[in-house]
Amino acid sequence: MPFPEDDLKIFTCNGHPELARRMCDYLQLPLGDASVSRFPDGEINIKINEDVRGRDIFIVQPTSPPVNENLMELLVMVDAARRSSARRITAVIPYYGYARKDRKEEGRVPITAKLVANLLVKAGVDRVLALDLHATQIQGFFDIPLDHLFSFPVLCNHFQELNIPDLVVATPDVGGIRMARAFSNVLKAGLAVVDKRRLSPEESSVGFIIGEVADRNILLVDDMITTGGSLSAAAVVLKEKGARQIFAAAAHPVFCGPAVERIAASPISKIVVTDSIPLNSKAQALGDRIQVLTVSKLLGEAVHRIHMNESVSSLFMKQ
Ligand code: R5P
């Protein structure tokens, strides 16, 4: 779908250039030419190497680890585009970091999800395209348009094709019921809830399970895998309760700390994730136990529709 007058341009930083390239392949566009490097002291040095005056610019950058580097690169790239007279700047953020703190649950703590929204708008972002935000209320932290997509259709289609018999979709914590119900509806599967208690950012424990899991195949669904504690703890208890094979699906494969070791030692036989962020080398060591599906077509199609002022809502696929 070639675009008239060279009006749409996609740029990327170092967060996930492969995803940006895949989106460009889908859109049949060359990736915008920009240099993203470092000054000797570590400061970010960006130069946009082509004319963007009056153009519709999309900057693809997940703010995944290294979070601060990726966030700052995005802000600096937005500043460069703004000062180069881009007509409109859309930040395409397939993974929105600093999302954990979205409210004050105790005194003297920040709301970092709002802070990041403020920084993006202040830098010059006109709209945001996000994927599987950790909390949907983050949309309201922006007073500019934000399109919130879900990787759900990509992940769900995959499991539909596998046609796993006697399937029960399980959420590793109560907060994920909505997502699990959406999967179970489409896959015509049962539904189970694992009662997870978060003990610390790295540790969680499992209390009880609601739903029939004995002698069933299980699909655990979550928005992200960070330390792997939630999924591995849930899988162990599901197995103890008599589950057969356990699969897992998650949008964002963050895989930090002990995640790989935990997943490797868990009874999960296969994990399916997306390329919203790059799969780090430790996670790649999981070999055949992990499969990455691309969200580049979903994001590319959304970029196309935003650029053409067409509806994006049919891509939302309600959960
Ligand atoms: C919790 O609110 C999230 O949906 C995930 O369950 C959580 O972030 C996963 O973290 P971890 O892999 O460290 O248990």
Side-chain angles (χ1 to χ4, degrees), residues 134 172-173 196 198 201 204 222-231:
H134 185 55
D173 69 51
K196 176 184 87 175
R198 172 75 59 199
S204 48
D222 208 348
D223 62 335
M224 62 169 126
I225 302 167
T226 312
T227 66
S230 306
L231 283 187

Side-chain angles (χ1 to χ4, degrees), residues 2-319:
F3 293 96
E5 298 167 30
D6 199 18
D7 183 38
L8 165 63
K9 288 189 183 288
I10 297 186
F11 290 91
T12 189
C13 307
N14 289 316
H16 200 355
E18 294 78 16
L19 176 63
R21 274 188 211 105
R22 284 176 205 137
M23 290 169 62
C24 286
D25 287 347
Y26 174 76
L27 292 163
Q28 298 175 34
L29 272 181
L31 185 60
D33 184 8
S35 318
V36 183
S37 59
R38 294 289 183 278
F39 288 106
D41 60 0
E43 288 179 0
I44 293 160
N45 183 16
I46 287 186
K47 167 105 172 73
I48 297 175
N49 297 318
E50 58 183 287
D51 184 17
V52 294
R53 185 175 294 272
R55 310 297 213 288
D56 192 13
I57 302 301
F58 292 76
I59 303 169
V60 181
Q61 175 86 333
T63 52
S64 50
V67 185
N68 299 333
E69 292 292 320
N70 285 341
L71 173 61
M72 199 62 204
E73 279 187 359
L74 175 58
L75 294 169
V76 175
M77 178 71 95
V78 170
D79 189 66
R82 168 65 58 221
R83 291 174 195 281
S84 310
S85 303
R87 182 177 83 249
R88 181 173 69 172
I89 301 167
T90 301
V92 181
I93 311 177
Y95 173 84
Y96 188 93
Y98 279 114
R100 249 181 225 98
K101 289 289 180 190
D102 60 0
R103 60 189 178 279
K104 283 187 76 171
E105 284 178 323
E106 54 181 324
R108 301 186 295 280
V109 294
I111 304 180
T112 52
K114 174 61 179 159
L115 171 66
V116 169
N118 287 346
L119 289 171
L120 287 165
V121 173
K122 194 70 188 167
V125 167
D126 295 301
R127 60 185 303 142
V128 173
L129 174 58
L131 182 79
D132 288 286
L133 287 168
H134 185 55
T136 49
Q137 63 267 26
I138 292 170
Q139 294 171 68
F141 294 179
F142 290 88
D143 285 330
I144 55 173
L146 182 149
D147 294 301
H148 184 198
L149 299 181
F150 294 95
S151 56
F152 166 66
V154 175
L155 293 168
C156 204
N157 286 351
H158 174 80
F159 282 96
Q160 233 172 346
E161 280 166 18
L162 291 183
N163 200 16
I164 300 164
D166 306 319
L167 188 66
V168 169
V169 176
T171 169
D173 69 51
V174 179
I177 287 182
R178 206 168 157 208
M179 185 198 283
R181 194 191 300 124
F183 273 86
S184 80
N185 285 343
V186 173
L187 298 174
K188 299 186 178 20
L191 183 62
V193 178
V194 177
D195 171 44
K196 176 184 87 175
R197 308 276 159 87
R198 172 75 59 199
L199 306 175
S200 73
E202 302 82 28
E203 293 292 332
S204 48
S205 75
V206 169
F208 52 87
I209 291 176
I210 306 166
E212 195 53 63
V213 297
D215 203 27
R216 304 285 207 285
N217 290 309
I218 306 291
L219 172 59
L220 274 165
V221 294
D222 208 348
D223 62 335
M224 62 169 126
I225 302 167
T226 312
T227 66
S230 306
L231 283 187
S232 55
V236 166
V237 177
L238 286 161
K239 203 69 185 170
E240 284 167 7
K241 301 283 179 195
R244 271 190 245 155
Q245 223 182 336
I246 302 177
F247 304 85
H252 308 302
V254 181
F255 280 97
C256 58
V260 173
E261 291 77 10
R262 282 176 171 172
I263 296 292
S266 81
I268 301 172
S269 47
K270 182 108 186 180
I271 297 191
V272 182
V273 295
T274 81
D275 61 353
S276 65
I277 61 177
L279 195 65
N280 64 37
S281 54
K282 273 190 85 182
Q284 284 172 25
L286 286 168
D288 287 349
R289 280 178 79 182
I290 190 157
Q291 183 173 356
V292 182
L293 305 179
T294 188
V295 285
S296 56
K297 291 179 186 148
L298 181 70
L299 291 170
E301 183 58 29
V303 165
H304 173 244
R305 292 185 188 196
I306 290 167
H307 176 66
M308 303 301 282
N309 284 324
E310 291 172 2
S311 170
V312 177
S313 58
S314 63
L315 300 176
F316 289 171
M317 195 133 164
K318 307 251 175 332
Q319 288 191 4

